[in-house]
Amino acid sequence: MAVSTQEAAPKPEGLTKYDITGEAMCPHRVVLEHLTSRWGVLVLIELLDRPYRFSELRRAIGRVSEKMLTQTLQTLERDGLVHRDAKPVIPPRVDYSLTPLGREAAEQVRALAVWTKDRMGAVEEARDAYDAAKRAQG
């Protein structure tokens, strides 16, 4: 069996294709999933504006259950992206805000959301062309 003597190309800095699409759950891939989850995106974008109480955040996002919002906030808090500030008052008051790391991530997520909104026309055109081609084949 012949063995190649070529040296492997050095890995580029940053993410490699395997890091993003590989089957192994690399730690940064898990965080990426948290950031880009359905509710994670909306929580991060909403918290860019200001801190929110839980019920305010739920209303601002809309259509999210208490359970899902709680889980999302806990996950983002664990990742160091969201700060939970529980005030010892009656009734209890809990405010959620972004940490500096969370603000950085939220700005990136918002940029993707803005790009998506701005490019929706091109996406719809591509979908129409794809659907028409499928109908013509079929």
Side-chain angles (χ1 to χ4, degrees):
M1 176 195 298
V3 177
S4 173
T5 58
Q6 287 184 330
E7 291 184 31
K11 288 184 180 181
E13 289 191 37
L15 298 178
T16 64
K17 182 177 178 183
Y18 174 78
D19 292 331
I20 296 170
T21 61
E23 291 184 27
M25 289 301 284
C26 300
H28 62 269
R29 183 173 172 186
V30 173
V31 174
L32 182 63
E33 287 183 8
H34 296 165
L35 291 172
T36 60
S37 70
R38 178 179 183 181
W39 303 117
V41 166
L42 299 176
V43 165
L44 291 169
I45 291 172
E46 204 61 47
L47 288 176
L48 268 171
D49 292 335
R50 64 178 177 88
Y52 278 86
R53 293 179 73 176
F54 183 88
S55 57
E56 291 178 309
L57 185 57
R58 186 168 178 227
R59 280 192 302 273
I61 292 172
R63 298 186 322 177
V64 60
S65 70
E66 283 187 35
K67 179 181 176 184
M68 284 309 303
L69 183 55
T70 298
Q71 287 176 351
T72 300
L73 287 166
Q74 287 173 345
T75 298
L76 295 174
E77 182 182 7
R78 181 171 183 257
D79 287 343
L81 306 173
V82 169
H83 174 72
R84 182 181 186 271
D85 184 21
K87 308 243 191 281
V89 295
I90 298 175
R93 178 183 173 110
V94 179
D95 293 311
Y96 294 92
S97 61
L98 293 174
T99 65
L101 185 63
R103 180 160 296 283
E104 186 180 336
E107 289 169 353
Q108 298 297 317
V109 169
R110 180 174 58 186
L112 180 60
V114 168
W115 178 90
T116 304
K117 181 182 176 193
D118 291 348
R119 299 297 185 253
M120 200 58 215
V123 170
E124 288 172 349
E125 287 176 19
R127 287 177 177 173
D128 290 344
Y130 178 90
D131 293 345
K134 282 290 190 185
R135 281 191 301 272
Q137 289 176 355

